[in-house]
Amino acid sequence: MKTVFLRVLGVEDKAKALLEAIHKPNHERCELRFDVAPECFNVIPGSPFAYWARVTALRCFQRNAAIESEGRHAAAGAQTRDNLRFVRTSWEVSAKTISAPGRTLLLRRGWVPLAKGGSHSRFYADAHLLVQWGYDGRELKAATGAWRAAKGWGDHWRAAINSTEYYGRPGITWPVRSQKGFSARVLGAGAIFGHKGPTVFVAEDQIRNLKTTLAIMNSAAFGYLVSLQMAFGAYEVGVIQHTPVPDLSSLDEENFSDLANRAWQIKRSLDTRTETSHAFVLPVLLQIEGDTFLVRAHAWSKYVGALELELDSIQANIDERCFRLYGIDQVDRHAITEGFGGNIGSFDVAIEDATDIDKEDDVDDEDEDDADDDDSISSAASLAAELISWVVGVVFGRFDVRFAIGERALPTEPEPFDPLPVCSLAMLTGEDGLPLTTVPAGYPLNLPENGTLVDDPGHPQDFTTAVRAVFDVVFGARADVFWQEAAALLDPKDHDLRAWLSSSFFEHHLKRHSKSRRKAPIVWQLGVPSGRYSVWFFAHRLTRDSFFQLQNDIVIPKLVHEERQLTSSIQTAGGSPSASARKEIAAQVAFIEELRGLLEEVKRVAPLWNPMLDDGVVLTMAPLWRLVPQYKPWQKELKGKWEELCAGKYDWSHLAMHLLPERVVPKCATDRSLAIAHGLEEVFWVEDADGKWQQRATPMRPVEEIVRERSFPAVKAALTSLLDAANAISGNGRGRGRRSGIVAAHEGIL
């Protein structure tokens, strides 16, 4: 006996649709009525209430082996429960602390690539995250065990950090949630996978087997069979484990392997324009030839269109082959690819599953890069911004300009399942693959080895002048033409690239360096509220002395220069200055006040500055929140993190120990993960005969002694000053410190 199911969820006039489905059950256009034998639900694993399942598709569960068979295994991975502590973007930490093939990483805080779900993307997606896995995840395991123990669940870290025996193996991963549908992509060797990025592995890590499985998992048929099992819209590992795969001949394997490999190559080639990707080579406007940026943008659009057509052809080829191998007929193929079919007839076999209930909602809930509007001015402007971003990277020694001018050949393309490089191909690196700290012999540009530039025309370290120097090297005789075009695209009103760099570049950089809810800009803009003066830092070149250098070598000379300018203006104006002269003098007085506020804040920060990018950019920059008034959302973010750190929220960080050892050190005696983070595990903890860690009854060294050796009077004084300081930089831009003698003496003239 069959049960009749009527589906009118997507119909506007539901009453009319119901009547038609009831009275015209065999109408060729009826896609609302399903006559199903209830016992058919038992065919699909989990027995979902999948009344709309197609006949031939359901038979796949009876005729074919599941993913979890024949040497294949699908597994869920690590769950950190504290991403701010244990997860970083690949560009924000020192490259020396990132795991790499052939390099043993014996660090308390070592970082390993992490697959953690992400956006919908078939075949390829860059692993832009890292997980803290120093000493085989010692700190993460300790923190996880403590968290579970606090919940009364025991201190077994394995309950949250799953499948560690598979870490480092190549596989096929996918995001657990995506409203755009199921998508599988390559996970290269040497990585860790998270609980939101489950992964399939094959016997002996056979590459052809992996590529073949990747193709099948991205087929329409496989996606449909997955969707039939889903109850809550999540592609959980158990669902994938039970999804069937067809039997393959050796020729089938070869064909699928070649198709998957080509699809991966195409997707990766499109990522070579992405500055934060391991695949990054050059910005689009340097990958394409053309007399103008607009011509190059149009050519790129055509190039991308051709690649997308090839991808569509590959996908159609994979879909057709999989439908045939699964034994899914033409009628059901159409229903699977186009939507629900009509009356699907009598099911004499055991059937089961449910189609993709999220298919109607095509909005992905994961972060994705904004797509370019092809052939438009806005598209060319976006590509111009990407070019300038690369140029800024060259200016600070992040990227190697020689790739753009043909003096250095690009490395060959890697294989899909190779380990990720520590640095992208575009970076200025040495023979060890790590960033260079000094300019190589014969390099065509001078670089600020202290990582500092200023927005100050005429200054030898002027930011815009350095950017222009890169244009001269890259474009030669046509540098001025391309400079003017970039200015017109980015600043349509005034065609002023200096103004765009000063007012808009940091926002662009922050957006491009924010992924997976992490904000990690590595080019920092510090300055005064009016925006008239900025200092630019490259995070990876900062040292403990950077703010002393900023104070003595840049801000103080700038302040002296501007005070002299004020004196000259007042003397030139005479005793009865004109209205325009008075306005000019007033503006100069306000600017000097801002500079004095900047200097006061730099003086407060300098003694306590000790950058440790392992803490993450947002915590490293937190003490500087008063110095970033140009972009209020970022200032608010930093201020919030600073207040939370002062309140005791991030005591795992180097910054917390540096500033407040009297608070952090005692906590290491009761929290083993904190002790590991700060190198004090042996002082406060001991492993017993059963492998359990116990708090020592008496520490190996007195707490007071450890606090004393990690405390510095200058740091304490600076911290007190910073906490007690008036809002010298943020707010209305007028510092509350002592005004300069020149300003005070001439205040009456205003």
Side-chain angles (χ1 to χ4, degrees), residues 439-658:
V439 180
Y443 195 71
L445 290 165
N446 294 318
L447 305 178
E449 294 191 1
N450 64 355
T452 306
L453 292 170
V454 294
D455 185 12
D456 193 359
H459 194 284
Q461 292 175 271
D462 178 52
F463 183 48
T464 304
T465 301
V467 170
R468 174 55 196 253
V470 179
F471 265 67
D472 291 337
V473 169
V474 172
F475 297 109
R478 291 182 56 78
D480 193 58
V481 173
F482 282 113
W483 180 267
Q484 295 300 330
E485 186 178 7
L489 288 168
L490 295 172
D491 184 13
K493 181 180 179 182
D494 298 320
H495 295 196
D496 188 343
L497 200 50
R498 176 181 289 277
W500 184 85
L501 285 167
S502 177
S503 63
S504 302
F505 173 73
F506 178 76
E507 182 177 355
H508 170 84
H509 177 78
L510 176 62
K511 180 179 179 181
R512 295 300 180 188
H513 289 72
S514 297
K515 286 181 178 290
S516 300
R517 299 185 177 88
R518 286 199 64 82
K519 297 180 176 67
I522 53 176
V523 175
W524 302 348
Q525 183 183 21
L526 314 180
V528 298
S530 67
R532 291 183 62 184
Y533 187 73
S534 296
V535 178
W536 295 88
F537 279 164
F538 181 49
H540 287 287
R541 291 186 182 269
L542 297 183
T543 68
R544 296 185 65 171
D545 295 328
S546 293
F547 275 84
F548 286 116
Q549 294 171 353
L550 174 62
Q551 170 188 313
N552 298 323
D553 300 341
I554 295 178
V555 181
I556 288 178
K558 176 65 174 177
L559 180 59
V560 170
H561 172 76
E562 296 301 332
E563 286 180 334
R564 287 173 180 166
Q565 289 289 102
L566 175 60
T567 299
S568 176
S569 297
I570 292 173
Q571 290 174 348
T572 301
S576 301
S578 64
S580 61
R582 291 170 63 87
K583 183 178 180 181
E584 179 182 333
I585 291 170
Q588 185 70 0
V589 168
F591 183 39
I592 290 173
E593 286 296 295
E594 286 191 318
L595 287 174
R596 291 195 64 82
L598 174 66
L599 177 59
E600 290 171 4
E601 192 66 19
V602 169
K603 285 181 176 179
R604 291 189 186 99
V605 172
L608 59 77
W609 179 249
N610 186 27
M612 292 294 293
L613 290 176
D614 271 353
D615 287 346
V617 166
V618 69
L619 283 188
T620 303
M621 282 195 73
L624 311 180
W625 69 268
R626 289 186 180 92
L627 290 168
V628 292
Q630 300 94 332
Y631 190 52
K632 294 299 182 182
W634 181 235
Q635 184 180 58
K636 181 179 179 181
E637 178 94 10
L638 296 182
K639 182 181 180 183
K641 289 296 185 292
W642 173 248
E643 291 173 346
E644 290 173 346
L645 182 137
C646 292
K649 190 170 182 180
Y650 307 118
D651 284 343
W652 48 264
S653 66
H654 292 292
L655 181 60
M657 176 64 85
H658 179 61

Side-chain angles (χ1 to χ4, degrees), residues 176-384:
V176 168
R177 292 187 179 276
S178 172
Q179 293 179 4
K180 287 185 176 178
F182 180 77
S183 63
R185 73 285 302 263
V186 164
L187 175 66
I192 288 174
F193 54 101
H195 70 294
K196 291 184 178 179
T199 303
V200 166
F201 302 92
V202 303
E204 300 179 355
D205 300 334
Q206 294 179 352
I207 300 303
R208 191 169 87 160
N209 194 350
L210 282 168
K211 292 179 181 178
T212 299
T213 305
L214 176 65
I216 292 171
M217 291 178 69
N218 278 314
S219 69
F222 187 91
Y224 177 71
L225 297 176
V226 167
S227 71
L228 292 178
Q229 304 169 71
M230 293 167 57
F232 303 106
Y235 303 107
E236 300 291 352
V237 67
V239 171
I240 305 304
Q241 286 175 334
H242 292 105
T243 303
V245 294
D247 292 331
L248 304 175
S249 67
S250 179
L251 181 59
D252 290 328
E253 291 179 356
E254 182 178 351
N255 289 332
F256 278 130
S257 176
D258 290 344
L259 289 168
N261 192 81
R262 179 55 184 157
W264 180 88
Q265 288 176 331
I266 293 172
K267 294 291 291 290
R268 184 184 177 279
S269 72
L270 294 173
D271 205 31
T272 59
R273 66 174 284 190
T274 306
E275 183 176 318
T276 54
S277 169
H278 290 87
F280 180 57
V281 173
L282 287 169
V284 164
L285 295 180
L286 296 183
Q287 291 192 35
I288 301 292
E289 295 291 335
D291 290 337
T292 69
F293 288 152
L294 284 174
V295 169
R296 296 184 183 201
H298 180 68
W300 174 257
S301 176
K302 292 178 64 176
Y303 172 72
V304 171
L307 289 182
E308 288 176 343
L309 286 175
E310 186 178 355
L311 273 175
D312 290 343
S313 176
I314 291 171
Q315 186 66 58
N317 196 339
I318 290 173
D319 289 344
E320 176 61 30
R321 290 174 182 274
C322 283
F323 281 138
R324 176 178 54 80
L325 290 167
Y326 276 114
I328 298 175
D329 62 28
Q330 290 293 338
V331 174
D332 286 354
R333 292 183 195 186
H334 178 80
I336 290 171
T337 57
E338 301 299 328
F340 295 112
N343 189 331
I344 53 180
S346 301
F347 293 165
D348 296 326
V349 296
I351 338 175
E352 68 167 276
D353 211 2
T355 47
D356 185 359
I357 59 175
D358 289 326
K359 195 169 185 178
E360 297 165 3
D361 184 2
D362 197 35
V363 180
D364 196 348
D365 60 358
E366 297 288 349
D367 295 334
E368 289 189 345
D369 293 334
D370 293 335
D372 291 324
D373 184 12
D374 294 336
D375 299 322
S376 70
I377 294 295
S378 62
S379 175
S382 176
L383 296 181

